[in-house]
Each structure stands twice: as structure tokens, then as C-alpha cells.
Amino acid sequence: MNQDYIQPDNWSIIEEGFEKDRVESSESLFSIGNGKMGQRANFEEQYSGETFQGSYIAGVYYPDKTKVGWWKNGYPEYFAKVLNAPNWIGINIFVNGETLDLNTCIKVEDYRRELNMKEGWYQRSFVATLPNNILIRVEATRFLSLELDEVGAIDYQIELISGDATITFQPYLDSGISNMDANWEEKFWETIEVSSSENQGFIVSKTLKTEFHACTFMQSEVLLNGKKVELEYKEEKEIDKISFSYKISAEKGDVVSLQKFAGYVTDMNHDRNELIAAAKNVVSTAVSIGYRGLLQDQKDAWEKTWEMADISISGDVKAQQGIRFNIFQLNQTYSGKDERLNIGPKGFTGEKYGGSTYWDTEAYCIPFYMATKDQQVARNLLSYRYNHLDKAIENAEKLGFTNGAALYPMVTMNGEESHNEWEITFEEIHRNGAMVFAIYNYVRYTGDFDYIPEKGLEVMIAVARFWQQRATFSNDKNKFMILGVTGPNEYENNVNNNWYTNFLAKWCIEYCLETLKKVKDGHAEDYDRIFGLTNLSDGELMKWKEVSDNMYFPYSDHLEVFLQQDGFLDKELIPVENLDKKHRPINQKWSWDRILRSCYIKQADVLQGFYFFEDQFEEKELARHFDFYEPLTVHESSLSPCVHSIQAAKLGRMKQAYEFYVRTARLDLDDYNHEVKEGCHITSMAGTWMSIVEGFGGMRIVNDQLSFNPRIPEEWDAYSFKVNFRNQIVKVEVSKEKTCFNLEGTAAINILVKGKSIEVHPNSAVEV
Amino acid sequence: MNQDYIQPDNWSIIEEGFEKDRVESSESLFSIGNGKMGQRANFEEQYSGETFQGSYIAGVYYPDKTKVGWWKNGYPEYFAKVLNAPNWIGINIFVNGETLDLNTCIKVEDYRRELNMKEGWYQRSFVATLPNNILIRVEATRFLSLELDEVGAIDYQIELISGDATITFQPYLDSGISNMDANWEEKFWETIEVSSSENQGFIVSKTLKTEFHACTFMQSEVLLNGKKVELEYKEEKEIDKISFSYKISAEKGDVVSLQKFAGYVTDMNHDRNELIAAAKNVVSTAVSIGYRGLLQDQKDAWEKTWEMADISISGDVKAQQGIRFNIFQLNQTYSGKDERLNIGPKGFTGEKYGGSTYWDTEAYCIPFYMATKDQQVARNLLSYRYNHLDKAIENAEKLGFTNGAALYPMVTMNGEESHNEWEITFEEIHRNGAMVFAIYNYVRYTGDFDYIPEKGLEVMIAVARFWQQRATFSNDKNKFMILGVTGPNEYENNVNNNWYTNFLAKWCIEYCLETLKKVKDGHAEDYDRIFGLTNLSDGELMKWKEVSDNMYFPYSDHLEVFLQQDGFLDKELIPVENLDKKHRPINQKWSWDRILRSCYIKQADVLQGFYFFEDQFEEKELARHFDFYEPLTVHESSLSPCVHSIQAAKLGRMKQAYEFYVRTARLDLDDYNHEVKEGCHITSMAGTWMSIVEGFGGMRIVNDQLSFNPRIPEEWDAYSFKVNFRNQIVKVEVSKEKTCFNLEGTAAINILVKGKSIEVHPNSAVEV
């Protein structure tokens, strides 16, 4: 843990006291989003201290040209950058002409931030003594509307404490923004038009290269003691900025406030040539609903979300706060409404990890969305990859593969690879297996087998082809091998026979062969169509089978463990706990070569395979591998603790499972990796959800049935969660004494609890 | 072979006929240099076609900030770029106001380039029909003076063929130049002052960041039919350019010429604030000697160089031309006069391979300079590394090494690492061993053991320390291993137990331990000094010995060969000759991952070890390893064919040795790697020299004696070379029938010929 300033609270994230060196961390933690746009918790008013400005529009990116000292063939042409979008939140404040800037105030008291997760709004309040000795109390609340998802609303209230004064609100839009992540301090947005229509302001701008067009808009209202006042205002336009100044004289004790309605419309959803008209329309709607109306809608929308997605924990407020923060952020990031979007590792909370989509989605996020949303949402996430299949085939062709073999990108915005380390892009190929695992996982959970003949099978065939072509036959060992890969443990590069990759490759081929048979039997027409479309032949299937039947797996007879890769036992195997603290985290302290030749594991690697395919291993095998690998794991990936938590729970090691849970749940709140100011770890938050549901709850799907094996950490009194299983909602409440199942649905279902089948009827609780 | 337009000639490189698509290749091949500066064979007059402009000043570079998508700890901060320096050769030509530009002429006939290697000048001649139908014959000759090594001289003659005309010569200097290798088209030079003094022009400019200051200067004279004429001239100054226009009216048949004296003085050798005065001094000296005088000096200087360095071959003009081209370029690149300079892989012929110094110098170049120059030159090359020892220790510290361990940089200009691929910078550590091998090789050849206590031993200790710390103890194999390296075969990265690296590491430690004993016995005072200086202890020496005594070497019992690295036999071992031609060269056709997992070897790796340490292996072992590895070798490094040629010759496989010889000797002339337009492969040219002297001549040092085992390729009638052995010069003439030894020196020496000792007396030939 690197920080502990966040106040424990069941439903809110709270910071108290103004500390300049926490500003950037809090800007990440108090971020808001609505699936379509996101906003770091930057101050509305001017701030001259250290800050990391971030406003983001889903799907808008910049393809930064790949430039490396030494070009390797096949390199992607660009590296996708998440873009800081035009500023829509800005409101300059002048009190008797003096600028409000928390960095220069004489005193800042009663400073408090609250991110109310239950209702979906963010508030900052403080009492500031300005350099001119005027004392004001500020309360600024904002939210990004889930309903009107192109709109953000801000209520910026100022109470005059020390005496009468003239207050000027200057709400503005600014497209002259820059990116934190810019190699040469260049700008990525070009302003096309700055215009206004009465008290509405608009800036049309476009991204360079990608030419996304956005119209940033605003309209504001001023209130005195809660009543709207009509004021003269001064409009100012600059080359990439527009502002309106509203000046109001107030007396001691008065509360004056500005309500700003602002946001973006883009050509992803509107006619490029009619963006101002669209913006006008949107902002007028927002104004007509009004701040209070929008806020009420927001509360209602979040209530609905929580109704399904909440996990409650009693007896452990920090754990409760952690899981809600995770669920809240996941819902802020991805709504499932738009098939073109996906879940970026930092969501809308920072710029890092450039592109939008990683294998995180398939391996970690799908279970969460599958169980807490309509199953169409998970289907959309699968379709995202189906829609990118042609690009994945192209990507594989660039690397010398043929005949429709596909390699899905490591990072992508639109299906093209947009990451550019050779050891990742070219070699971290296990991601390809995750695409197929997600299909398997989805069908297993939802029973929606139709997805396979409709879309999934084509993906599975292309991936199986990849594995068959990627395998190398070793005459020396008389086995097929996969040489030159990077496993999930990215602290090793270009290794041979990463066990996880080999296992996944074999599984992908076998699952595809087995599925082909099923489709042949059950969907003969689709089978013929796909067989023809993909130019499959029985001869080719034989070649796949030869590879999957003869795959090599590194194994130590002595230790009875699968080896992470060839040569793993040649490393100096010193447990992490014996490593001097000053060397941690190793990714910040050690040079890359030292990390590579060390035994230290960034995140579950062999254990990731045990997680995905647990049915294929006995519990004592899991224990043996867990005991061998976990002590060598530094968990320097946010995706690491959750898998380990689930496995520790499965092994009944609840203390360890709980520790991992806290680490994943409060990774950002407590800043375990000392980097939260760069943004939150969104995709791993779905792993946190899994730690509870799959870890403590022990939820699995066994032969089309829900199965649970509930356990509870000693620290908790009870916890509960809901899952949407095949369109019926099962509520699970676990306490130390019992587990209670409740079904919201229409038809009774059988549930396995610790291997024993129980029947649960709609709206009638069953206790076990 | 990719081109064959170079005319065979014993002493010159000749191109005939103007072909626009050969311009850039020829710009490399006809490059001139004098150790202090170099110039690609760019046209003096304007040329609007494709061209690669290159003027280079030894030691002047730009540290381009390292920018990669994903930073790895320990990355060097910059990547050194070789800089195109201000243009000193430019002479615009106007005939009746029409610009001469070979790209726009109506016709270009009798086009011919000649690089006269014997005399050290370059000439281009042609007959051009200008767009205005005027016919002129041009003969432009230039050279970079070996004597006045800051000066180049150009004689640009124009004969009027078609009738009377007015000719304008506009010699100019231009510092507004750009680099081919610039990530963002930025400029690397800033012009400080453009000035003139009568007919002398000066531009003072400096490089950005490194702040090298240079004054580029010129002065010209005009001649009519060989007689100097005084003309009015027009001076023009621009922000980074200065020109003088000389206009002369001539009649049909007249020959008018401009002689331009130009070049650079820099603050590496002059007071930064007095550069113009220094330039004035230099150019005035040059003008006073005159073009003819300078040219005569040039011929004399090159005659002297060839007297010692020439290798003559009779019966094979292409082989002869090849070796002379190699020797010529080596002498153009490095004179040995300046301890701060070294031998860049592309010399002064291109920008590639950014920095100046690679392990090429130690492994390939030192033998050439050691045998064809005063031994002080080789000593200077060793001192270059000694002078960088502190930086090498710093470099190792950045990677976590301690206690004075040194890691020499992969690429450097000033001792700092300036290359930035992690798999090279961090992992291609065998380079460290080459530093020690060069000391061993130098002492073995020169007998100058004093170098060791004076400088060499400190380097050896720091390198031994590195190896001891870099080794990992494998409990599994009960041996020390070196994990995560890149061997000389850069087509594998991050491998474990590269045999060459492990062998070299063990050897470095053993050689250092053995040398420490010798120094203790023979130079007790130095021993104590160094022991104290380096904080050595007997305990530390024990640790070194533990590593060297227990080093692991991958070996196949079945094949009886050392394996290039762990897992090598798991690759698909398909000989290069069975590889479809369309896949070659693989570095241009295959993606990086495919290359890495293939068995193909870029350059000698295991065989490099057999080359360095041949005494430790029997000939049949060499044969076995050569037969195993050479068929898997694609020779896509210029450093590859020479070592294989030497080993094939040793094995008596003269046909193969000859093929490799031709490939190394004519690598650039025949453009084997399809890239000569980027520049020539200078460092491998020393390998070409070794192919003859060590390969065919079989020269070795055996117990302080020269030893030969002469062979001759079937294609040759005879060949001869000279070596400076311990300050006496031995000339070796080999024909099919006999070998003749001649000694220029003062004391008789014993030479081993095919293992038999013969005595050679000064100036009295011995035939064997």
C-alpha cells in the first residue's frame, strides 16, 4: 500500500484535506465516465499546480507513427494514443477580479472530494481564502449523464463568507489542449471552427490523421441563492477557445452558482457536416431538462445499474468500498451499447496503454459483463473480435502466415495492431487463444451455441490455423513446439515452449475440432457454408490434429510441475519474500535484462492456464503449482492478484485469498503500484469481481448448471451478489453460517452447491 | 551478386554510362575520405534526381533522444547519429544561364566515374547536352588531402563543344543540410555566422545538443585553358549559405575550370572562438600550394600507404580490385593519428549504424591496422577503450552491476552506450570479451606486454568482474550459466547459454587470472598499484575461478557439437540451400519473430569462438562444427564471410574459401546485400584482409613467431602481402609453386612455414 488517504465509506470515495501532491492521484480516483466519454477529476477553475488533464471520448485515438532505432519487418505502422479531448469542464472564477486558484490561495480549508458511486456524481467542496483575503465556500458537483450520454453537467456554487463581492464566472471550452503522452509536445487536435449562438458556445475540431470530428459545446445558467438570474455576459473567442463571462454582485452569505451543460457530439454518431446543429440540439435538451432533472435521471439510472451489479459486503468497509469502486468504474467505462467500443485498460482515467483493447477483455472482463448485464453485452464484445477477423488475418499475413490463419492484435482500436514492441506484438501470441476461450466461456455460461455457427466458428478456425502453422516440429524431441514467445508473464521474452501458450494452442485446436463436429451435426447448413468459406479440408484438419496430439510440455519429473518455459529451472529460484524490499517493484528498480533472467513472474502464467482449464487438473496439482509459482510472483501486473485470489480460495487458503482480494480491490485506492496518478486499472477491476464471485462464491458452470462453493473471509460477516444466468437473476447471499439463494425469474433452476444439487424456485429463497 | 556495373580494373573503381538508378550506389562506392573527413560521391553541380547527400566529419555526431513506446529501465538516453555536415563540394554551373543538372539534360554521354585508389582521387566526366542544346564536356576531379587533412580540392573543368557560351561557376557552402536519418525531418546543425573575406567564404555552424563547432570554408580560382584568370565575382549570402559567382565567356573548344579549395576546421582541433582565423590559415595554405601541388602530395602519400598495405593478386582482376578497394577504404576511414577516433562500420560513406565504434574494431579491424601500420596505431585503438573504462563501469552500474564491473557499450561515440534495442544493448554482452581478446591479440602479435600493466589489466579486471557477476548458478545443472543473451548471431535474442558467450566469459576470467600472475611476477609495483586501485581481493579471485571452472556449455553428445545455445536442436534445421530464394535475404523478407525461431545464423557464432580460440580445438572438431553450422548460416552480416573463408582455407576447402573471399572482398562493389547505397561496410573490409593473410596465407603467431601455412586459390596465379611484425617488415609472395619471404629490417627472424622453422635474413629472399 502506498497511500491511505481515501476515507472508508460504503458508497463513496472521499478525500479530506487539500494536499497538492495528492492532486494527480485524486484526479484518477475521482474520474467520472458514462461509457461514451470520461473525465478525470481536474478542477473546473484554474489550477497552476501539478495536474494531469484528461477528458476522453470513447473510440477517439491518434495513430502515432512507430519510430524505433532499428526497424524489424512486420512492425505495426503506428502506436495508438488515447487522446486528451477538448476541455469542456473549464470555469474560471474571479472574485473582485482575483483569480481563484487553489495553488495560490492564502488558505484552503474544509477541502473535501466525494465520488458518490451510488448516485453517480462527483463533488468537491472547500473554503478558500483568496490572495485578496476574500473568503469563499465552493461546492462544485458534476456528473456525466448516463441518459444523455453526450452531456456533462456541472453545478458550481460559491458562497460569500467574508463579505460582499463581485463574482465572475467564466465558463469556457478549449481545444488547444495537449497530451501527456506526446513524443514531441505536438498537438493532436486541430480547431476548425469556434462559434456561438446566443449563450451557447461551440468548437468544432478534428484529430490529426484519424480525422475524428467533434463539436464541443456548452451553455450555462447563473443562479443567485437557487434562483435563476438573467445576466449580461461577455463573449470572447480565441483561435481554439470560447468563453462567456458572467459577472454578478453578491452580498455576504449569498450563494451564487453557475450551472454548465457541456459535452461532445462526434462524427462517430452524427453527420460530420451537421455537428453544430447536433450539439445545439443536445445542449438545448439538457438545458430544458435542467440540472436537477438530469441529476435525478442520473440517480435513477445508477440505481438500476446497482440493482443488478452490486456486491454488498458487511463487516469490512474497506473491502466494500473497494468492490463498489471496481464495479462503478467498470460501468463508467463500458456500457455495452456500442459494438465498436471496448474496455481500455485505463478506461477514461488516463492515457496509458495507448490502444483500447487488450486480451484483458476476453480473459477478465467478459465474465463480469456477462453476469451483470444482458447477455447481448457479452455477445457484442465477442462480435467486436469477429468484426476484426479480416484484419487479424491480414496481421498474420504480414508475419508470414497463410491460408486464413489469424493473429489478433495485442492492442487495437480498429482491428489493426497498434503496439510496437517486437517481443509483445510478434511474440505474446497467447492472446490469440484468449479469443477462443472467450467464445467457449460465453457459450458455456449463456448456452447461446448459435453464436458459434453464426460468428464464432470462423474465428476459431482462423486461430487453429495460426497455431498449427506456428508450431515447429523438433526432430530432437519428436514433438511439436512453440518457439520464441512471450507468455502472460511479460518478464520473460522470446522463450521456447511457454507451457501456457502450448497448452492453450493445443486446447484451441481440440476445441475447434470438437466444435466443428457439433456444428456439422446440429447446423449442417452453416457447416457447409463455413467449410466452403474458409476453404477447409479434411487434410488440413489432420494437420491440426497432428500438432495438438503431439504438443510438447516442459515438465519437471522431480518437482512434478509443468515448467513455465524451457530452462526455467536454470534460473536462481529465490522467493520474492527473500528479495530486499529496496529492489521492489522490480520493474521500477531493475534493468530489463536483469528482470528477464530473474525467476520473477509478473502475473499468473502457468497458473493462468490452471485458472482457465481447472477441470483438467486435480486440486493437488493446482496446490503443487500454486506453491511453486506463487512465491516467485511479484504481482506487478494489475491482472495478477485476482487469479491468485480465486485459486487460493479454491485451495481453502482464505487468509491468502483475502489478502489478494484486498490487493486487487483496492489496487488503485491504496495505490499499490505507485502509479495511480497515471490512471486506474480498469480491466483488472473485472478480476476483482471474479475474486468474489468465482473465488469466494466459487461460482462455476458445470454442465449447463450454476455451481457454487461458497466460502467467506474471516474478516467479513456476509456478502452478496447477483448474476444474470440465462436471463434469470440469481441472488447469492453468503454468511458465515449459511448461503441463501434467491431467483428472480420465471422458471425453477437447479444449482449445485458444494457438488450437491438444489432446486431454486422464483422468488423463494433457499438456504443451504 | 546484385550489381555488376563496376568495371574490373586493378587499381581503379570505374563506372561507365549514366544510369539514374545507380547514382546512390555509386555515391557510396566512389566515396573519398582521409581519416578526418569523408565525402560521398555526390555531384558538385545541382542534381534534381535521387541522391543521398553525405559529408562527414570524424567524431561529430548527434545524440538523438531515445524514444520508444515502452521504456525499459537502463535504456541509454540517446541513440548516436552520424551527421551529414555542411556541404563544401557544391558548385552550381550555368551555361548561358541554363543550369547544368544531369537529371534534366537532353543527353548525357561518355559518362564515367573513376576512383583512382593508387593515387587517391576521384574523377567524374561526361558530355552533356543542356536543355538549351549547348554541348559541354565536364571533367571533375576531387580528393581529400591526406597531408592537409582539413582540406578537399576540386578541379571542375568544362570544355565547350558546341560553340561559344558564357559559363558561370557558382561555388558555395551550405549549412542548411539535413540528415537522411532524421526521425522528424529536423535539422541537426545551427548556423552561427556566414562571412567572407575577399574571395574566401566561411560558415560557422554548430551541431545541436553536442555543440560541435565547425567552420566550413572555401576559396576558388578560375582557369581558362589551364591559365588562371582574375574575374569579377558576385558574392551572395543567405541565412545558411554563401556563394561566389564567377562568370566567364568562352569560345568553342575552350576549357574553363574552377578549382575549389574547401573543407572544415572544428573545435575538436582548434579554439572554438578562432575558427574563422584557423580556416583562413588552412585555406590560404592550400591555395598557396595549389591544386597541382596538393594532388602531387596526395599521390605521394598514397604511394607510401600502398607501399606497406598493398596486397597484389595476379590472375584475377576482380579479386585484385576487391582487396584494393577494401584496403583503400580502411585507410580512408582511419589513419590512427587521433586517439579519440575509431572505425565506424560505414566509415565516411553513409549514416547507418549510428555510432562510431562497435566490437568490430576489436574483433576485425585491429589485426589489419596492427600488421599494416606502426604498432602504435593498434595501441591507440586499445587505449580508446581504456580511456572509456570509467564510462563502461558506469554503464554496468546502470544495469545493476557493482564493484567496478564494466560493460563496454555496443555502440559508442564517447564511451557512453548509444544504441537502444534492449536485446542488443543489454544482452549482446559478448562484446565485452572482445575488448579483452583484442588486448590478448595485440600482445601476442606485438610482444608489447607493457601495455598490460600500463592499461590493459584494468580493463581485464573490470571485464572479469562483469562475467563473474553476470553468471547465474543453476542448481538444476550444478553449473554456472549465462542467461538472457544475444550472441554474435543477432538472429536470436534473449537466449540462454550462448556457447560463444559462455566460452569467452570463461576465457576472459582465466586469461585475467593468468595475466595477474604474470604481472605479479614481472611488474610487482604495477601489480600492487592495480590491486589497490581496483580493490581486488583473493576472495574475489576465488569467486571468479569458481565461475570459470564450472561454466556450462551446451553440447550434443549425439552430434558431437557444441550447441549455439540451449534449445538449438529444437529448431527446424533446414539448410539454407533448401530455402526458397524468394525468402532471401531473410532480414528483408521475414518478420522478426520468424527469423528468431528459425535456425538461420546471421554470422559466425560458435565458429567465431573457433576462430578466436582455434588452438583449443582440433582440426576435426573445427570441421565438424563448420559442417554443422555453416549450412545454416545466411551470412547476412558483412562480418560473416571472412571468418568462414579463413576456416574453409584452414580446412583445405579452397573452393569454398575462395567463394567466401569474393563475397567479402566484393560485398559492396557487387552489392551482395542490396543496400550499398546506404554506404560501404568498412569494418568487414578488415575481415577481407584477414581472409587473405590469415586465410590463404595462414598467418598466425605461434610462441612469438610468425607462422604461415600458405595456400592459393585455383583462380589465382600468385598473391603477395606485407606485414609489419615487431617493427620489421615481412613480405610474403605466394604462387602455386612456392612461397617467397623477404624481410625489410635489421635482424634475422625465424618463421614457421607449415610448422617448419626457417630463418629469414634482412633483404635476402627465402623460397619455400
Side-chain angles (χ1 to χ4, degrees), chain A residues 228-441:
Chain A
K228 201 178 148 184
V229 286
E230 292 297 337
L231 290 178
E232 293 287 299
Y233 54 86
K234 201 176 100 192
E235 176 187 319
E236 272 178 282
K237 281 186 198 148
E238 292 171 42
I239 188 146
D240 41 22
K241 205 167 168 179
I242 181 166
S243 66
F244 296 97
S245 296
Y246 300 87
K247 202 169 182 176
I248 182 164
S249 297
E251 293 170 15
K252 181 173 171 173
D254 278 349
V255 176
V256 291
S257 65
L258 182 101
Q259 293 180 343
K260 180 177 182 182
F261 305 86
Y264 312 104
V265 292
T266 75
D267 60 352
M268 285 177 75
N269 301 300
H270 298 275
D271 182 340
R272 175 176 295 184
N273 302 310
E274 303 287 343
L275 286 178
I276 291 182
K280 220 171 157 46
N281 193 20
V282 170
V283 73
S284 302
T285 306
V287 170
S288 73
I289 299 170
Y291 182 82
R292 279 163 178 271
L294 287 170
L295 183 58
Q296 191 53 53
D297 293 345
Q298 182 78 346
K299 291 176 182 177
D300 295 346
W302 274 103
E303 192 182 345
K304 225 171 115 187
T305 298
W306 285 114
E307 173 61 26
M308 180 62 221
D310 188 29
I311 292 181
S312 77
I313 297 172
S314 54
D316 188 345
V317 62
K318 283 192 153 195
Q320 174 68 78
Q321 187 180 38
I323 187 63
R324 287 204 172 118
F325 182 65
N326 286 249
I327 295 167
F328 181 70
Q329 287 290 1
L330 286 165
N331 277 287
Q332 290 208 118
T333 302
Y334 183 71
S335 68
K337 287 187 215 162
D338 188 338
E339 225 185 40
R340 297 167 300 179
L341 302 180
N342 209 292
I343 307 131
K346 294 247 178 265
F348 298 121
T349 70
E351 298 172 1
K352 225 183 159 183
Y353 303 112
S356 168
T357 314
Y358 285 61
W359 68 290
D360 301 27
T361 295
E362 283 70 24
Y364 292 85
C365 297
I366 281 184
F368 169 80
Y369 291 103
M370 199 152 64
T372 68
K373 304 266 176 204
D374 187 283
Q375 76 182 42
Q376 184 62 36
V377 171
R379 207 180 209 264
N380 273 355
L381 286 171
L382 297 187
S383 295
Y384 179 91
R385 297 295 190 175
Y386 174 73
N387 294 337
H388 290 170
L389 178 58
D390 287 346
K391 293 248 169 94
I393 291 172
E394 240 176 68
N395 187 35
E397 278 169 0
K398 282 184 197 159
L399 304 182
F401 295 87
T402 58
N403 189 34
L407 176 59
Y408 276 91
M410 190 66 200
V411 182
T412 194
M413 298 298 304
N414 62 3
E416 286 174 90
E417 178 63 83
S418 61
H419 181 93
N420 59 8
E421 289 178 302
W422 67 260
E423 61 274 23
I424 302 297
T425 310
F426 297 164
E427 299 208 334
E428 200 173 337
I429 53 177
H430 67 81
R431 63 186 185 255
N432 229 20
M435 307 302 140
V436 178
F437 179 79
I439 296 170
Y440 162 78
N441 201 17

Side-chain angles (χ1 to χ4, degrees), chain A residues 67 70 72 183 419 421, chain B residues 67 70 72 183 419 421:
Chain A
K67 302 245 182 203
W70 299 82
K72 318 271 192 201
N183 285 344
H419 181 93
E421 289 178 302
Chain B
K67 301 243 182 206
W70 299 81
K72 319 272 193 203
N183 285 345
H419 182 94
E421 290 178 302

Side-chain angles (χ1 to χ4, degrees), chain A residues 679-726:
Chain A
C680 298
H681 299 84
I682 302 300
T683 44
S684 73
M685 293 178 174
T688 307
W689 179 89
M690 296 195 300
S691 306
I692 294 187
V693 176
E694 300 183 8
F696 301 148
M699 185 177 89
R700 300 291 188 277
I701 306 301
V702 178
N703 299 327
D704 286 310
Q705 279 190 311
L706 275 176
S707 164
F708 295 91
N709 193 10
R711 302 175 189 265
I712 184 165
E714 210 180 280
E715 291 79 358
W716 298 0
D717 298 329
Y719 65 98
S720 72
F721 57 88
K722 284 184 183 172
V723 294
N724 174 354
F725 182 66
R726 304 192 177 185

Side-chain angles (χ1 to χ4, degrees), chain A residues 444-721:
Chain A
R444 175 173 64 174
Y445 188 86
T446 63
D448 176 20
F449 187 82
D450 286 351
Y451 180 76
I452 287 189
E454 195 182 315
K455 296 180 174 174
L457 187 57
E458 289 173 57
V459 171
M460 289 159 66
I461 290 169
V463 169
R465 282 178 157 156
F466 173 83
W467 290 122
Q468 181 261 313
Q469 293 178 34
R470 186 61 167 72
T472 297
F473 187 72
S474 164
N475 275 312
D476 199 50
K477 304 234 171 47
N478 203 30
K479 285 279 182 189
F480 282 94
M481 301 195 150
I482 302 185
L483 306 180
V485 304
T486 293
N489 170 27
E490 291 170 326
Y491 287 178
E492 263 294 3
N493 295 154
N494 196 40
V495 300
N496 296 333
N497 296 309
N498 170 257
W499 177 83
Y500 172 75
T501 305
N502 287 20
F503 192 88
L504 196 55
K506 177 184 165 75
W507 175 86
C508 283
I509 292 177
E510 287 173 349
Y511 178 55
C512 188
L513 287 171
E514 176 194 319
T515 305
L516 273 165
K517 273 200 204 110
K518 268 201 209 167
V519 175
K520 192 174 183 177
D521 295 344
H523 300 72
E525 214 169 289
D526 287 311
Y527 182 80
D528 291 341
R529 178 179 54 78
I530 295 167
F531 216 83
L533 182 76
T534 57
N535 276 314
L536 263 187
S537 70
D538 291 333
E540 190 184 351
L541 300 185
M542 297 277 284
K543 280 208 265 177
W544 296 4
K545 199 164 174 325
E546 206 192 326
V547 170
S548 64
D549 285 351
N550 294 288
M551 185 62 82
Y552 172 79
F553 297 107
Y555 186 75
S556 164
D557 292 324
H558 164 55
L559 299 167
E560 296 184 84
V561 294
F562 291 109
L563 297 176
Q564 186 175 278
Q565 72 258 356
D566 286 350
F568 187 78
L569 292 183
D570 289 330
K571 291 168 176 272
E572 281 175 357
L573 301 175
I574 300 164
V576 176
E577 62 173 4
N578 295 354
L579 195 61
D580 194 331
K581 287 272 178 302
K582 75 179 184 203
H583 293 298
R584 303 283 310 279
I586 60 171
N587 69 12
Q588 286 169 28
K589 301 296 171 64
W590 283 5
S591 72
W592 191 240
D593 60 321
R594 190 172 182 187
I595 291 174
L596 290 178
R597 67 179 179 272
S598 81
C599 65
Y600 300 116
I601 302 171
K602 187 182 176 194
Q603 69 185 89
D605 190 301
V606 170
L607 294 178
Q608 182 75 34
F610 273 74
Y611 168 66
F612 273 177
F613 304 108
E614 63 173 3
D615 296 347
Q616 303 196 33
F617 306 99
E618 290 173 30
E619 200 165 304
K620 65 179 181 188
E621 286 182 280
L622 171 61
R624 204 159 55 230
H625 285 80
F626 192 89
D627 289 340
F628 183 71
Y629 286 110
E630 195 288 320
L632 304 175
T633 305
V634 288
H635 304 291
E636 289 176 11
S637 159
S638 65
L639 298 172
S640 193
C642 56
V643 170
H644 289 88
S645 179
I646 296 168
Q647 292 179 332
K650 182 172 179 181
L651 294 171
R653 303 175 185 183
M654 288 304 286
K655 192 167 174 300
Q656 205 178 5
Y658 177 74
E659 278 167 16
F660 282 125
Y661 167 77
V662 171
R663 186 161 169 166
T664 183
R666 298 189 62 87
L667 179 72
D668 292 322
L669 293 177
D670 298 341
D671 199 10
Y672 275 86
N673 293 349
H674 220 305
E675 50 169 28
V676 75
K677 65 183 183 178
E678 295 172 359
C680 298
H681 299 84
I682 302 300
T683 44
S684 73
M685 293 178 174
T688 307
W689 179 89
M690 296 195 300
S691 306
I692 294 187
V693 176
E694 300 183 8
F696 301 148
M699 185 177 89
R700 300 291 188 277
I701 306 301
V702 178
N703 299 327
D704 286 310
Q705 279 190 311
L706 275 176
S707 164
F708 295 91
N709 193 10
R711 302 175 189 265
I712 184 165
E714 210 180 280
E715 291 79 358
W716 298 0
D717 298 329
Y719 65 98
S720 72
F721 57 88

